[in-house]
Amino acid sequence: MSLHKKIEQMLKLSRQASSKLGVLSSEEKNSVLKDMADCLRQDTNLILSANAKDMSMAIKKKMPASLVDRLTLNEKRIAQMVDSLEALIKLDDPVGQVLKTENRPNGLKIEKVRVPIGVIFIIYESRPNVTSDCAGLCFKSGNAVILRGGSESFCSNAAILKSLKRALEKHNLPASCVNMVDTTDRRAVDILLKAAGQIDLVIPRGGESLIKKVVETSRIPVIKHYKGICHVYVDEEADLNMAESICFNAKVQRPGVCNAMETMLVHRDAAARFIPGMAKRLIDAGVQIRGCALTRRIARNLKVKSATDKDYHTEYLGLILSVKVVDSLYDAIQHINHYGSGHSDAIITDNYNNSEVFLKEVDSACVYVNASTRFTDGYQFGMGAEIGISTDKIHARGPMALEELTSYKYQVYGNGQIRN
């Protein structure tokens, strides 16, 4: 069968499956999710064996360490995948929720009700856990999903999908509730991105180049974020011990992810007290610092490179950090809104008024006071998992989970009304 024919068949079956999913009760969906989690747990060794094949190829191809880390599965990470599915069971089902009721003077009753979006196409790179997270979220929200993982995680994703489909089979549900593009042929993505009317939404998860290509090619609505240029601003009234702990976590705990700090801003009045110790701790942890002229003077005994304008626009996804000293809270906000990507930004301060100004004026999806940007994550937000993080300003912004995978419709009840 040709590639076009295979995809046409998958699209047809996905649409049929979405109709079936849309009318399942919460109890039925939760029962399937429980079995999905059980199947993953039972198939741990099979999934690890498949992952070992992907890892071997990644090492042979000398892929970057950050990508290898994302690709790696172990028993702990599979247990986290199981936990994510089980956490979804405990969450309220958004489908059918009445958002608003309006009783009109003419007797019409109008309800605004959450409904599934339909068929969702998700394109992602490296991390195999995305396969189960996205499958679970789409299933609970009543959507059929088509998954296209990176070629580097092909074996891992296929093994995870096989496990999830065992649960669907047990409940006599269509296997096409959860689909995977079973080829590394890049033409398949182009065909799917032009399937307007058959796919309702595209969500790309990956690097900026992937997301830009999807946006340029797609004839279907796309929800995305291009970069995660996240900032932590250390205010003049910050608890500097707290600031050091937060900044270190935001940069070092897992530098290759989109919610890691890429630029640290420090108020001029706190810079001399904060930067030397902070910079030393970061450098000792392997971080390369690129600082403004004042940063370099303050940290003159340390190896700090000169920061360029390009650095402040860069998502490093590694152990590199831009540092800049600013004259005021407003300079920090201006810098973030100019150079940031609208993802996640934090202020460290004991001044309530400063924190409120920062919260109101920083134009990002997630804005923090006295906490690490690393919490921008669906699981950390109590969503069970996430389908991705959106920096768009439409219905979905920030971590996307069950509610963001629904739309709504108006249900109108009458008793014979006609319009004059």
Side-chain angles (χ1 to χ4, degrees):
M1 188 184 296
S2 72
L3 182 61
H4 276 84
K5 289 289 184 185
K6 284 177 69 175
I7 290 175
E8 284 177 11
Q9 180 71 0
M10 180 171 62
L11 290 168
K12 179 182 176 182
L13 292 174
S14 296
R15 181 59 67 187
Q16 291 172 356
S18 73
S19 297
K20 177 83 173 176
L21 275 171
V23 297
L24 288 181
S25 69
S26 299
E27 292 75 17
E28 289 172 311
K29 288 188 281 190
N30 288 339
S31 181
V32 176
L33 287 168
K34 181 182 181 303
D35 285 329
M36 284 182 171
D38 288 342
C39 287
L40 283 182
R41 191 182 287 111
Q42 294 162 10
D43 294 342
T44 294
N45 289 336
L46 292 173
I47 294 168
L48 289 176
S49 178
N51 183 247
K53 295 177 184 178
D54 289 330
M55 292 292 295
S56 176
M57 187 60 67
I59 292 168
K60 190 178 293 185
K61 291 182 177 180
K62 298 181 179 178
M63 290 184 173
S66 60
L67 191 150
V68 172
D69 173 61
R70 291 180 177 213
L71 178 60
T72 302
L73 286 179
N74 50 40
E75 289 189 4
K76 180 180 177 182
R77 289 187 177 181
I78 293 176
Q80 289 171 341
M81 290 159 57
V82 170
D83 289 344
S84 290
L85 289 174
E86 291 179 337
L88 286 174
I89 296 170
K90 300 172 185 175
L91 297 179
D92 291 339
D93 186 349
V95 178
Q97 289 180 357
V98 178
L99 301 174
K100 180 182 178 182
T101 300
E102 183 79 24
N103 293 299
R104 301 299 299 151
N106 62 4
L108 287 178
K109 179 183 178 182
I110 303 172
E111 291 182 344
K112 184 179 182 181
V113 181
R114 286 196 188 278
V115 295
I117 289 173
V119 178
I120 298 176
F121 179 31
I122 301 174
I123 310 168
Y124 54 103
E125 298 174 327
S126 306
R127 288 190 286 182
N129 67 290
V130 173
T131 302
S132 62
D133 286 353
C134 290
L137 283 162
C138 287
F139 186 85
K140 175 101 179 194
S141 56
N143 298 289
V145 64
I146 298 171
L147 301 166
R148 182 23 162 110
S151 58
E152 68 278 357
S153 55
F154 188 83
C155 296
S156 306
N157 294 335
I160 293 166
L161 181 72
K162 185 177 180 180
S163 187
L164 299 176
K165 283 183 179 290
R166 285 207 297 120
L168 294 172
E169 184 180 359
K170 179 179 176 180
H171 290 264
N172 296 314
L173 287 170
S176 48
C177 290
V178 181
N179 306 274
M180 184 168 289
V181 181
D182 62 355
T183 176
T184 57
D185 189 333
R186 295 185 178 181
R187 291 179 302 154
V189 172
D190 291 337
I191 295 168
L192 286 163
L193 289 175
K194 293 172 183 174
Q198 295 166 292
I199 295 173
D200 300 292
L201 179 67
V202 178
I203 304 174
R205 291 185 57 165
E208 185 177 7
S209 59
L210 166 72
I211 295 170
K212 282 187 173 180
K213 182 180 185 303
V214 169
V215 172
E216 290 167 2
T217 306
S218 182
R219 295 178 183 171
I220 305 160
V222 179
I223 293 180
K224 78 281 181 191
H225 84 267
Y226 287 120
K227 291 181 181 179
I229 302 178
C230 303
H231 301 76
V232 177
Y233 164 59
V234 180
D235 188 45
E236 61 182 320
E237 295 188 46
D239 176 327
L240 297 187
N241 289 327
M242 178 194 292
E244 182 175 322
S245 174
I246 289 172
C247 289
F248 189 83
N249 176 264
K251 180 72 250 182
V252 176
Q253 193 253 351
R254 199 171 180 191
V257 291
C258 62
N259 56 20
M261 174 178 68
E262 302 291 17
T263 297
M264 183 175 73
L265 303 173
V266 184
H267 192 283
R268 178 180 289 272
D269 291 347
R273 292 176 288 132
F274 181 71
I275 287 176
M278 183 77 259
K280 185 178 187 309
R281 185 177 177 189
L282 288 167
I283 290 169
D284 287 347
V287 178
Q288 179 192 119
I289 296 178
R290 300 178 183 180
C292 66
L294 185 51
T295 297
R296 295 183 72 203
R297 283 204 301 272
I298 291 170
R300 58 185 175 276
N301 296 324
L302 300 170
K303 294 180 179 178
V304 176
K305 294 189 174 183
S306 181
T308 65
D309 190 69
K310 182 180 178 182
D311 285 316
Y312 298 125
H313 283 287
T314 300
E315 181 184 28
Y316 298 114
L317 295 174
L319 291 174
I320 305 174
L321 176 69
S322 299
V323 180
K324 184 176 183 181
V325 177
V326 294
D327 289 332
S328 69
L329 166 65
Y330 296 98
D331 288 341
I333 293 169
Q334 186 176 23
H335 179 101
I336 291 168
N337 287 340
H338 177 72
Y339 290 99
S341 57
H343 193 295
S344 302
D345 300 288
I347 182 174
I348 316 302
T349 187
D350 285 338
N351 185 304
Y352 174 79
N353 289 333
N354 285 359
S355 68
E356 288 299 297
V357 169
F358 191 88
L359 288 171
K360 288 181 175 67
E361 298 192 16
V362 170
D363 187 17
S364 296
C366 299
V367 188
Y368 293 82
V369 176
N370 295 333
S372 171
T373 57
R374 286 284 291 113
F375 286 103
T376 301
D377 175 276
Y379 189 80
Q380 296 294 328
F381 276 29
M383 298 174 174
E386 68 184 22
I387 211 83
I389 296 173
S390 170
T391 55
D392 287 335
K393 296 184 182 181
I394 50 175
H395 88 285
R397 195 180 190 195
M400 292 178 58
L402 294 175
E403 289 185 2
E404 290 73 27
L405 291 175
T406 61
S407 181
Y408 55 82
K409 65 180 177 183
Y410 290 95
Q411 297 179 171
V412 184
Y413 301 86
N415 54 8
Q417 287 88 341
I418 60 173
R419 184 169 176 176
N420 294 327

